[in-house]
Amino acid sequence: MTIRRAVTSLALALALPAFSSPQEQLLAFSTSAYNSLNVSSCPGYELQTLKHTDHGLTARLKLAGTPCDAFSADIANLSVEVTYETQSRLHVHMFDTASRQFTLPPEYFDRPAPPTHTSSALKNTSDLEFNYDPAPFAFWITRRSDPAAPPLFDTRTASLPPAPIAPFINASDNRTAFDGFALVFEQQYLQLTSALPYDANVYGLGEAVSSSGFRRQVIANGTIQTGWARDAADPENENIYGAHSVYLEHRFNSTSNTSQSHGVFLNNAAGSDILLATPPGSNTSIVQYRMLGGTLDLYFLSGPDPKAVVEQYGEVVGLPAWQPLWGFGFHLCRWGYENLSETKLQVQRMRDANIPLEVMWNDIDLYHSLRDFTSDPVSFPGDEMRTFIRELAANGQHYIPILDAAIGHIANSSDVYDPFTRGIELDVFVKNPDNSTYIGQVWPGYTVFPDWFGENTDKWWLEALGNWSNSGVEFSGLWLDMNEISSFCEGSCGTGADLSNTSVPVLLPGDPGSLVTEYPEGYNSTISGPSGNVTVNGTLTYGAGQNTSSDTFVPSTLLKRGLGAAGEPGVDLNVPPYAIHNGFGKLAVHTLAPNATHHGGYVELDTHNVWGYMEERATNLALRKLRPGARPFLIARSTFPGSGKWSGHWLGDNLSKWAYLHFSIQGVLQFQLFQIPMVGADACGFEGNTDEELCNRWMQLAAFTPFYRNHNQRSALSQEPYRWDSVANASRTAIATRYSLLPYWYTLFANASTRGTPPVRALFFEFPDEPALFDVDRQFLIGTDILVTPVLTPNVSTVDGLFPGRGNVIWRDWYTHEAVNTTGDGVVTLAAPLGHIPVHVRSGAAILLHSQPGYTTRETAQSPYALLVSLDADGSARGSAYVDDGATLPEDGAGVRNRTLQLDVQNGRLLVKGAGAFEIAQRLEQVTVLGAPRAPSSVTANGRHVPAASWVYTPSVQRLVLSHLGVDLNDPVTVSWQ
């Protein structure tokens, strides 16, 4: 977690010179007497040699003129490798011929190998084509199927707006100028620019809380997406926890009324600015990459539809981890459960309120002296923790503790803390340039940081996790926090310091000077008191004492950087000449200094963005060894391309504000694109006080996102779902719906883990030819068939929903089964009183459900199956369901024992066919058919007559319910109604 107030005051307290503006301060950090900081005179490169290969081409480039050395020394000689890797993926890698620039170590980062066959067929049949100009060297990517269309990616100067272009994104920030568009490849600065269609539909680039929504802003102020992992409490339009340099662009042809999507991924870990902009007066938009190092390692993905782009990206960075079934249950946590008794009390109160609780969590309250791999011997004694966790397990529940990134440094020679001493023994911690241990400051006081590139680090981590579990903290999964990586001081502040000072270096929420006083928009605690209730003494609390109008809520010699480079003359790794738009200013603030060193000859400047990924990888591999055959369940904060292969993600330290309820949807959609589908926000908000109405709406919305957890900060208003009756009722209803849908969720995630198909989708993913949907992020789809339309503003009882399909799709209410009357623009005002979230089912869907939602996922999964069929206008529906044991980890892509059911409905007959060796114990007991035009005269199940007493037809909603079927899903099934 982050303490926003403490972080801000820390930054202000740094001993920095006085500047008239933040921009001047940042520029001063990076100014060098030897560099112009202007690329207008950069000469670009020209082609020297070119060779065609079986799979593409290789080329050599040479600097085309006098070096400009804008931000560092120009690299004179470059190599280009173009590889047609599949029919839909083209790989273009531009790198320094001497191979001194940092690239991601392949032993940790799996990327596709080049084709092994010698056929040149891919070059001639690929959906993508590589084109180039020799001098100045530029390239562009086109579709073979549509060569006359504008290129998908185009670096030619003639295709770009005239330069130089004065700052316009922020007129006071010279870094938002576009001085020139030549290819720049320097030691500490790389620049590449491509033309985009005017006001292009661009999605991705993150991680971001973007004020423009899921669709990134390209015109007006554009977008500056900074890639530098940062511990900051979800600020708008700034860099935060993860760095993802991938985008999806969706192009609509208004002549043909059709669309195509493609993707672009830059495989580079360097700190960066990626700018989306449209210069004034230009009819061309641009995307520009500005990187602090590395190479230009680009993957182009042809789509041509949004889901295919996401799937193709998964083939590059790795498909998402298999999730255990229990991970889809409801999780509860807060920072402030100060002892085991309080933790157990929450479990009991949830049970007493009959609100399902699957997983109980603890925050840093668990720790002894706030140190990892411990439990406080007084507040959380190990033996009692073991008993408690085993009681949870007996009830079908689970336990997850927090695991912070920093390891406490011992205070003196008598201090006993094995994870530190064992780490020193195995040499697993990050170093200073002089090879001394780097010492930062986090919750335990002075801390050290694991170096994941060390040869012994994974071994040490496995030992520590095993010892922790053996001490009584028998975790089911782990929560990886603060792994950007976070440090509360600048530089190795513990070097030469008094290490006996183990005080927490920042104020904690609730402590004097850091009281939690914020409430959601529209709630005034000075008038309505601290309860957060919807009403106080019969009076509505929303808007008390304020205007409630509806518009209030619009929402030189090239050297390799490495251990020896820390003292390289003329190079300051801590302050690169180009100052990216890091929200904290200098790169060393609130994290490791960029000149911190790692095993393998790496420096933090090059590896900063992958620290979280490396921890997630090591933790997942450790859990596989501790629990052989079981699927690890991890939720982490800092992510990087490929993190989804190892972990899920929560959206960080969000605010208890209505705006962040909306932002949570955009966050979930972003991470589907990033191939990290197990994602969700802290329901009801983390920072500040929530209130009854916001918590009510959020518990409903979060029930329809993959990761579902309620979590808030220390000293804030308690927000467990039983605290308000209305929230309790809304939670029971939403969780029951979620648990009914578990077979559907589980199938979607099996598809994600095998094919990379995103489980949660923006509306245009399913309806790509409807421009009205391109910027919709107040609604979303679960899979193909479930449309969710949440209430995102206070003090309302209706919500407008846009129903896609242009009248060719029938949408039916999940609860009442009534068809929605969609006319004109497809916008319908829906009833949404407090406690109700509109959910609709798409026609043509056949969805396998659990018929009896239980208190836990285990109870739920033991209930019989039901099938919901929503017929198309032609009387047909289709679906599929993937079933396995919900726990076993597939090894080496071999899969686990499973059964996949194909569901097909036509002409009043349901056919179910299965494939696979898994034995399904539960039978199909009920089939509900929506859109049945009349009552049947007879019903049969596998040839057996079903008595009339076992079916009911409701003509007002054209609903036929068949009960007591008792059919075995391990055999073919035929159910007919005639």
Side-chain angles (χ1 to χ4, degrees), residues 45 107 145 238 324 337 342 366 405 420-421 580 617 659 723 878 895 915 933:
Y45 289 80
E107 60 268 36
S145 58
E238 295 181 2
Y337 295 151
E342 176 69 13
L366 169 69
F420 173 79
T421 54
I580 62 174
R617 176 185 179 276
R723 295 287 178 175
R878 288 175 178 80

mmCIF file with all atom_site columns, all heavy atoms in Angstrom, residues 45 107 145 238 324 337 342 366 405 420-421 580 617 659 723 878 895 915 933:
data_model
loop_
_atom_site.group_PDB
_atom_site.id
_atom_site.type_symbol
_atom_site.label_atom_id
_atom_site.label_alt_id
_atom_site.label_comp_id
_atom_site.label_asym_id
_atom_site.label_entity_id
_atom_site.label_seq_id
_atom_site.pdbx_PDB_ins_code
_atom_site.Cartn_x
_atom_site.Cartn_y
_atom_site.Cartn_z
_atom_site.occupancy
_atom_site.B_iso_or_equiv
_atom_site.pdbx_formal_charge
_atom_site.auth_seq_id
_atom_site.auth_comp_id
_atom_site.auth_asym_id
_atom_site.auth_atom_id
_atom_site.pdbx_PDB_model_num
ATOM 1   N N   . TYR A 1 45  ? 19.673  7.477   -40.323 1.00 0.00 ? 45  TYR A N   1
ATOM 2   C CA  . TYR A 1 45  ? 20.559  6.391   -40.758 1.00 0.00 ? 45  TYR A CA  1
ATOM 3   C C   . TYR A 1 45  ? 20.287  6.063   -42.225 1.00 0.00 ? 45  TYR A C   1
ATOM 4   O O   . TYR A 1 45  ? 19.230  6.395   -42.778 1.00 0.00 ? 45  TYR A O   1
ATOM 5   C CB  . TYR A 1 45  ? 20.328  5.144   -39.899 1.00 0.00 ? 45  TYR A CB  1
ATOM 6   C CG  . TYR A 1 45  ? 20.857  5.315   -38.489 1.00 0.00 ? 45  TYR A CG  1
ATOM 7   C CD1 . TYR A 1 45  ? 20.122  6.024   -37.537 1.00 0.00 ? 45  TYR A CD1 1
ATOM 8   C CD2 . TYR A 1 45  ? 22.097  4.808   -38.115 1.00 0.00 ? 45  TYR A CD2 1
ATOM 9   C CE1 . TYR A 1 45  ? 20.603  6.205   -36.247 1.00 0.00 ? 45  TYR A CE1 1
ATOM 10  C CE2 . TYR A 1 45  ? 22.591  4.985   -36.830 1.00 0.00 ? 45  TYR A CE2 1
ATOM 11  C CZ  . TYR A 1 45  ? 21.848  5.681   -35.905 1.00 0.00 ? 45  TYR A CZ  1
ATOM 12  O OH  . TYR A 1 45  ? 22.337  5.866   -34.636 1.00 0.00 ? 45  TYR A OH  1
ATOM 13  N N   . GLU A 1 107 ? 16.788  -16.072 -20.653 1.00 0.00 ? 107 GLU A N   1
ATOM 14  C CA  . GLU A 1 107 ? 16.551  -17.128 -19.674 1.00 0.00 ? 107 GLU A CA  1
ATOM 15  C C   . GLU A 1 107 ? 15.424  -16.769 -18.709 1.00 0.00 ? 107 GLU A C   1
ATOM 16  O O   . GLU A 1 107 ? 14.875  -17.650 -18.024 1.00 0.00 ? 107 GLU A O   1
ATOM 17  C CB  . GLU A 1 107 ? 17.822  -17.462 -18.900 1.00 0.00 ? 107 GLU A CB  1
ATOM 18  C CG  . GLU A 1 107 ? 18.433  -16.313 -18.110 1.00 0.00 ? 107 GLU A CG  1
ATOM 19  C CD  . GLU A 1 107 ? 19.479  -15.540 -18.894 1.00 0.00 ? 107 GLU A CD  1
ATOM 20  O OE1 . GLU A 1 107 ? 19.304  -15.382 -20.125 1.00 0.00 ? 107 GLU A OE1 1
ATOM 21  O OE2 . GLU A 1 107 ? 20.465  -15.096 -18.273 1.00 0.00 ? 107 GLU A OE2 1
ATOM 22  N N   . SER A 1 145 ? -3.411  -8.001  -47.648 1.00 0.00 ? 145 SER A N   1
ATOM 23  C CA  . SER A 1 145 ? -4.781  -8.087  -48.143 1.00 0.00 ? 145 SER A CA  1
ATOM 24  C C   . SER A 1 145 ? -5.348  -6.733  -48.546 1.00 0.00 ? 145 SER A C   1
ATOM 25  O O   . SER A 1 145 ? -6.373  -6.677  -49.228 1.00 0.00 ? 145 SER A O   1
ATOM 26  C CB  . SER A 1 145 ? -5.678  -8.710  -47.076 1.00 0.00 ? 145 SER A CB  1
ATOM 27  O OG  . SER A 1 145 ? -5.629  -7.932  -45.880 1.00 0.00 ? 145 SER A OG  1
ATOM 28  N N   . GLU A 1 238 ? -0.528  9.770   -14.923 1.00 0.00 ? 238 GLU A N   1
ATOM 29  C CA  . GLU A 1 238 ? 0.886   9.671   -14.561 1.00 0.00 ? 238 GLU A CA  1
ATOM 30  C C   . GLU A 1 238 ? 1.286   8.208   -14.555 1.00 0.00 ? 238 GLU A C   1
ATOM 31  O O   . GLU A 1 238 ? 0.442   7.314   -14.569 1.00 0.00 ? 238 GLU A O   1
ATOM 32  C CB  . GLU A 1 238 ? 1.153   10.297  -13.180 1.00 0.00 ? 238 GLU A CB  1
ATOM 33  C CG  . GLU A 1 238 ? 0.908   11.790  -13.110 1.00 0.00 ? 238 GLU A CG  1
ATOM 34  C CD  . GLU A 1 238 ? 1.212   12.367  -11.729 1.00 0.00 ? 238 GLU A CD  1
ATOM 35  O OE1 . GLU A 1 238 ? 1.651   11.601  -10.841 1.00 0.00 ? 238 GLU A OE1 1
ATOM 36  O OE2 . GLU A 1 238 ? 0.993   13.566  -11.534 1.00 0.00 ? 238 GLU A OE2 1
ATOM 37  N N   . PRO A 1 324 ? -6.683  -21.323 -9.946  1.00 0.00 ? 324 PRO A N   1
ATOM 38  C CA  . PRO A 1 324 ? -7.506  -22.277 -9.199  1.00 0.00 ? 324 PRO A CA  1
ATOM 39  C C   . PRO A 1 324 ? -8.933  -21.769 -9.098  1.00 0.00 ? 324 PRO A C   1
ATOM 40  O O   . PRO A 1 324 ? -9.178  -20.558 -9.068  1.00 0.00 ? 324 PRO A O   1
ATOM 41  C CB  . PRO A 1 324 ? -6.832  -22.321 -7.826  1.00 0.00 ? 324 PRO A CB  1
ATOM 42  C CG  . PRO A 1 324 ? -6.161  -20.988 -7.696  1.00 0.00 ? 324 PRO A CG  1
ATOM 43  C CD  . PRO A 1 324 ? -5.733  -20.614 -9.089  1.00 0.00 ? 324 PRO A CD  1
ATOM 44  N N   . TYR A 1 337 ? -6.444  -5.034  10.538  1.00 0.00 ? 337 TYR A N   1
ATOM 45  C CA  . TYR A 1 337 ? -6.798  -6.195  11.369  1.00 0.00 ? 337 TYR A CA  1
ATOM 46  C C   . TYR A 1 337 ? -5.565  -6.504  12.211  1.00 0.00 ? 337 TYR A C   1
ATOM 47  O O   . TYR A 1 337 ? -4.658  -7.214  11.800  1.00 0.00 ? 337 TYR A O   1
ATOM 48  C CB  . TYR A 1 337 ? -7.174  -7.393  10.503  1.00 0.00 ? 337 TYR A CB  1
ATOM 49  C CG  . TYR A 1 337 ? -8.433  -7.203  9.680   1.00 0.00 ? 337 TYR A CG  1
ATOM 50  C CD1 . TYR A 1 337 ? -8.595  -7.854  8.462   1.00 0.00 ? 337 TYR A CD1 1
ATOM 51  C CD2 . TYR A 1 337 ? -9.473  -6.395  10.137  1.00 0.00 ? 337 TYR A CD2 1
ATOM 52  C CE1 . TYR A 1 337 ? -9.752  -7.701  7.711   1.00 0.00 ? 337 TYR A CE1 1
ATOM 53  C CE2 . TYR A 1 337 ? -10.636 -6.235  9.390   1.00 0.00 ? 337 TYR A CE2 1
ATOM 54  C CZ  . TYR A 1 337 ? -10.765 -6.883  8.172   1.00 0.00 ? 337 TYR A CZ  1
ATOM 55  O OH  . TYR A 1 337 ? -11.916 -6.724  7.434   1.00 0.00 ? 337 TYR A OH  1
ATOM 56  N N   . GLU A 1 342 ? -9.067  -10.359 15.801  1.00 0.00 ? 342 GLU A N   1
ATOM 57  C CA  . GLU A 1 342 ? -9.831  -9.478  14.916  1.00 0.00 ? 342 GLU A CA  1
ATOM 58  C C   . GLU A 1 342 ? -10.025 -10.128 13.543  1.00 0.00 ? 342 GLU A C   1
ATOM 59  O O   . GLU A 1 342 ? -11.098 -10.037 12.942  1.00 0.00 ? 342 GLU A O   1
ATOM 60  C CB  . GLU A 1 342 ? -9.101  -8.137  14.768  1.00 0.00 ? 342 GLU A CB  1
ATOM 61  C CG  . GLU A 1 342 ? -9.729  -7.161  13.792  1.00 0.00 ? 342 GLU A CG  1
ATOM 62  C CD  . GLU A 1 342 ? -11.060 -6.607  14.254  1.00 0.00 ? 342 GLU A CD  1
ATOM 63  O OE1 . GLU A 1 342 ? -11.403 -6.780  15.443  1.00 0.00 ? 342 GLU A OE1 1
ATOM 64  O OE2 . GLU A 1 342 ? -11.761 -6.007  13.416  1.00 0.00 ? 342 GLU A OE2 1
ATOM 65  N N   . LEU A 1 366 ? 0.164   -8.382  10.139  1.00 0.00 ? 366 LEU A N   1
ATOM 66  C CA  . LEU A 1 366 ? 0.585   -9.754  10.440  1.00 0.00 ? 366 LEU A CA  1
ATOM 67  C C   . LEU A 1 366 ? 2.009   -9.838  10.955  1.00 0.00 ? 366 LEU A C   1
ATOM 68  O O   . LEU A 1 366 ? 2.331   -10.661 11.817  1.00 0.00 ? 366 LEU A O   1
ATOM 69  C CB  . LEU A 1 366 ? 0.457   -10.600 9.162   1.00 0.00 ? 366 LEU A CB  1
ATOM 70  C CG  . LEU A 1 366 ? 1.080   -12.003 9.160   1.00 0.00 ? 366 LEU A CG  1
ATOM 71  C CD1 . LEU A 1 366 ? 0.298   -12.927 10.088  1.00 0.00 ? 366 LEU A CD1 1
ATOM 72  C CD2 . LEU A 1 366 ? 1.108   -12.561 7.734   1.00 0.00 ? 366 LEU A CD2 1
ATOM 73  N N   . ALA A 1 405 ? 8.190   -6.301  -0.800  1.00 0.00 ? 405 ALA A N   1
ATOM 74  C CA  . ALA A 1 405 ? 9.373   -6.503  -1.628  1.00 0.00 ? 405 ALA A CA  1
ATOM 75  C C   . ALA A 1 405 ? 10.677  -6.303  -0.870  1.00 0.00 ? 405 ALA A C   1
ATOM 76  O O   . ALA A 1 405 ? 11.700  -6.876  -1.237  1.00 0.00 ? 405 ALA A O   1
ATOM 77  C CB  . ALA A 1 405 ? 9.326   -5.552  -2.826  1.00 0.00 ? 405 ALA A CB  1
ATOM 78  N N   . PHE A 1 420 ? 17.340  -12.146 6.309   1.00 0.00 ? 420 PHE A N   1
ATOM 79  C CA  . PHE A 1 420 ? 18.423  -11.219 5.993   1.00 0.00 ? 420 PHE A CA  1
ATOM 80  C C   . PHE A 1 420 ? 19.781  -11.914 6.045   1.00 0.00 ? 420 PHE A C   1
ATOM 81  O O   . PHE A 1 420 ? 20.566  -11.828 5.093   1.00 0.00 ? 420 PHE A O   1
ATOM 82  C CB  . PHE A 1 420 ? 18.415  -10.031 6.946   1.00 0.00 ? 420 PHE A CB  1
ATOM 83  C CG  . PHE A 1 420 ? 19.610  -9.138  6.782   1.00 0.00 ? 420 PHE A CG  1
ATOM 84  C CD1 . PHE A 1 420 ? 19.668  -8.218  5.748   1.00 0.00 ? 420 PHE A CD1 1
ATOM 85  C CD2 . PHE A 1 420 ? 20.708  -9.242  7.641   1.00 0.00 ? 420 PHE A CD2 1
ATOM 86  C CE1 . PHE A 1 420 ? 20.785  -7.405  5.571   1.00 0.00 ? 420 PHE A CE1 1
ATOM 87  C CE2 . PHE A 1 420 ? 21.825  -8.439  7.470   1.00 0.00 ? 420 PHE A CE2 1
ATOM 88  C CZ  . PHE A 1 420 ? 21.865  -7.520  6.434   1.00 0.00 ? 420 PHE A CZ  1
ATOM 89  N N   . THR A 1 421 ? 20.082  -12.591 7.160   1.00 0.00 ? 421 THR A N   1
ATOM 90  C CA  . THR A 1 421 ? 21.409  -13.199 7.311   1.00 0.00 ? 421 THR A CA  1
ATOM 91  C C   . THR A 1 421 ? 21.648  -14.286 6.274   1.00 0.00 ? 421 THR A C   1
ATOM 92  O O   . THR A 1 421 ? 22.751  -14.413 5.728   1.00 0.00 ? 421 THR A O   1
ATOM 93  C CB  . THR A 1 421 ? 21.587  -13.766 8.723   1.00 0.00 ? 421 THR A CB  1
ATOM 94  O OG1 . THR A 1 421 ? 20.503  -14.659 9.016   1.00 0.00 ? 421 THR A OG1 1
ATOM 95  C CG2 . THR A 1 421 ? 21.598  -12.656 9.759   1.00 0.00 ? 421 THR A CG2 1
ATOM 96  N N   . ILE A 1 580 ? 12.389  11.652  -18.567 1.00 0.00 ? 580 ILE A N   1
ATOM 97  C CA  . ILE A 1 580 ? 11.038  11.164  -18.814 1.00 0.00 ? 580 ILE A CA  1
ATOM 98  C C   . ILE A 1 580 ? 10.080  11.800  -17.813 1.00 0.00 ? 580 ILE A C   1
ATOM 99  O O   . ILE A 1 580 ? 10.495  12.345  -16.787 1.00 0.00 ? 580 ILE A O   1
ATOM 100 C CB  . ILE A 1 580 ? 10.972  9.621   -18.739 1.00 0.00 ? 580 ILE A CB  1
ATOM 101 C CG1 . ILE A 1 580 ? 11.364  9.119   -17.338 1.00 0.00 ? 580 ILE A CG1 1
ATOM 102 C CG2 . ILE A 1 580 ? 11.844  8.990   -19.815 1.00 0.00 ? 580 ILE A CG2 1
ATOM 103 C CD1 . ILE A 1 580 ? 11.190  7.619   -17.158 1.00 0.00 ? 580 ILE A CD1 1
ATOM 104 N N   . ARG A 1 617 ? 7.753   -14.184 -11.125 1.00 0.00 ? 617 ARG A N   1
ATOM 105 C CA  . ARG A 1 617 ? 8.264   -15.428 -11.699 1.00 0.00 ? 617 ARG A CA  1
ATOM 106 C C   . ARG A 1 617 ? 8.874   -16.320 -10.622 1.00 0.00 ? 617 ARG A C   1
ATOM 107 O O   . ARG A 1 617 ? 8.570   -17.525 -10.545 1.00 0.00 ? 617 ARG A O   1
ATOM 108 C CB  . ARG A 1 617 ? 9.310   -15.096 -12.774 1.00 0.00 ? 617 ARG A CB  1
ATOM 109 C CG  . ARG A 1 617 ? 10.002  -16.281 -13.405 1.00 0.00 ? 617 ARG A CG  1
ATOM 110 C CD  . ARG A 1 617 ? 11.096  -15.826 -14.367 1.00 0.00 ? 617 ARG A CD  1
ATOM 111 N NE  . ARG A 1 617 ? 11.791  -16.950 -14.963 1.00 0.00 ? 617 ARG A NE  1
ATOM 112 C CZ  . ARG A 1 617 ? 12.811  -17.598 -14.383 1.00 0.00 ? 617 ARG A CZ  1
ATOM 113 N NH1 . ARG A 1 617 ? 13.247  -17.204 -13.186 1.00 0.00 ? 617 ARG A NH1 1
ATOM 114 N NH2 . ARG A 1 617 ? 13.383  -18.621 -14.988 1.00 0.00 ? 617 ARG A NH2 1
ATOM 115 N N   . ALA A 1 659 ? -15.290 8.493   -8.993  1.00 0.00 ? 659 ALA A N   1
ATOM 116 C CA  . ALA A 1 659 ? -14.479 8.474   -10.215 1.00 0.00 ? 659 ALA A CA  1
ATOM 117 C C   . ALA A 1 659 ? -13.689 7.181   -10.328 1.00 0.00 ? 659 ALA A C   1
ATOM 118 O O   . ALA A 1 659 ? -13.516 6.635   -11.433 1.00 0.00 ? 659 ALA A O   1
ATOM 119 C CB  . ALA A 1 659 ? -13.535 9.676   -10.230 1.00 0.00 ? 659 ALA A CB  1
ATOM 120 N N   . ARG A 1 723 ? -21.353 -4.306  7.006   1.00 0.00 ? 723 ARG A N   1
ATOM 121 C CA  . ARG A 1 723 ? -21.440 -3.106  7.847   1.00 0.00 ? 723 ARG A CA  1
ATOM 122 C C   . ARG A 1 723 ? -22.738 -2.337  7.635   1.00 0.00 ? 723 ARG A C   1
ATOM 123 O O   . ARG A 1 723 ? -23.220 -1.679  8.552   1.00 0.00 ? 723 ARG A O   1
ATOM 124 C CB  . ARG A 1 723 ? -20.245 -2.191  7.576   1.00 0.00 ? 723 ARG A CB  1
ATOM 125 C CG  . ARG A 1 723 ? -18.894 -2.774  7.971   1.00 0.00 ? 723 ARG A CG  1
ATOM 126 C CD  . ARG A 1 723 ? -18.705 -2.797  9.465   1.00 0.00 ? 723 ARG A CD  1
ATOM 127 N NE  . ARG A 1 723 ? -17.417 -3.396  9.842   1.00 0.00 ? 723 ARG A NE  1
ATOM 128 C CZ  . ARG A 1 723 ? -16.956 -3.454  11.072  1.00 0.00 ? 723 ARG A CZ  1
ATOM 129 N NH1 . ARG A 1 723 ? -17.681 -2.937  12.061  1.00 0.00 ? 723 ARG A NH1 1
ATOM 130 N NH2 . ARG A 1 723 ? -15.795 -4.023  11.333  1.00 0.00 ? 723 ARG A NH2 1
ATOM 131 N N   . ARG A 1 878 ? -25.625 -21.343 -28.998 1.00 0.00 ? 878 ARG A N   1
ATOM 132 C CA  . ARG A 1 878 ? -24.434 -22.184 -28.868 1.00 0.00 ? 878 ARG A CA  1
ATOM 133 C C   . ARG A 1 878 ? -23.594 -21.737 -27.681 1.00 0.00 ? 878 ARG A C   1
ATOM 134 O O   . ARG A 1 878 ? -23.661 -20.585 -27.263 1.00 0.00 ? 878 ARG A O   1
ATOM 135 C CB  . ARG A 1 878 ? -23.579 -22.127 -30.149 1.00 0.00 ? 878 ARG A CB  1
ATOM 136 C CG  . ARG A 1 878 ? -24.186 -22.841 -31.323 1.00 0.00 ? 878 ARG A CG  1
ATOM 137 C CD  . ARG A 1 878 ? -23.378 -22.659 -32.592 1.00 0.00 ? 878 ARG A CD  1
ATOM 138 N NE  . ARG A 1 878 ? -23.957 -23.396 -33.696 1.00 0.00 ? 878 ARG A NE  1
ATOM 139 C CZ  . ARG A 1 878 ? -24.999 -22.978 -34.418 1.00 0.00 ? 878 ARG A CZ  1
ATOM 140 N NH1 . ARG A 1 878 ? -25.555 -21.797 -34.134 1.00 0.00 ? 878 ARG A NH1 1
ATOM 141 N NH2 . ARG A 1 878 ? -25.468 -23.713 -35.407 1.00 0.00 ? 878 ARG A NH2 1
ATOM 142 N N   . GLY A 1 895 ? -1.673  -30.087 -20.357 1.00 0.00 ? 895 GLY A N   1
ATOM 143 C CA  . GLY A 1 895 ? -3.029  -29.977 -19.864 1.00 0.00 ? 895 GLY A CA  1
ATOM 144 C C   . GLY A 1 895 ? -3.279  -30.876 -18.672 1.00 0.00 ? 895 GLY A C   1
ATOM 145 O O   . GLY A 1 895 ? -2.396  -31.574 -18.177 1.00 0.00 ? 895 GLY A O   1
ATOM 146 N N   . ALA A 1 915 ? -15.856 -33.993 -24.769 1.00 0.00 ? 915 ALA A N   1
ATOM 147 C CA  . ALA A 1 915 ? -14.583 -34.619 -25.124 1.00 0.00 ? 915 ALA A CA  1
ATOM 148 C C   . ALA A 1 915 ? -13.624 -34.432 -23.971 1.00 0.00 ? 915 ALA A C   1
ATOM 149 O O   . ALA A 1 915 ? -13.565 -33.362 -23.366 1.00 0.00 ? 915 ALA A O   1
ATOM 150 C CB  . ALA A 1 915 ? -14.016 -33.996 -26.395 1.00 0.00 ? 915 ALA A CB  1
ATOM 151 N N   . PRO A 1 933 ? -40.994 -19.685 -28.389 1.00 0.00 ? 933 PRO A N   1
ATOM 152 C CA  . PRO A 1 933 ? -42.191 -18.989 -28.873 1.00 0.00 ? 933 PRO A CA  1
ATOM 153 C C   . PRO A 1 933 ? -43.502 -19.513 -28.307 1.00 0.00 ? 933 PRO A C   1
ATOM 154 O O   . PRO A 1 933 ? -44.504 -18.801 -28.293 1.00 0.00 ? 933 PRO A O   1
ATOM 155 C CB  . PRO A 1 933 ? -42.132 -19.202 -30.389 1.00 0.00 ? 933 PRO A CB  1
ATOM 156 C CG  . PRO A 1 933 ? -41.341 -20.456 -30.560 1.00 0.00 ? 933 PRO A CG  1
ATOM 157 C CD  . PRO A 1 933 ? -40.337 -20.458 -29.445 1.00 0.00 ? 933 PRO A CD  1
#
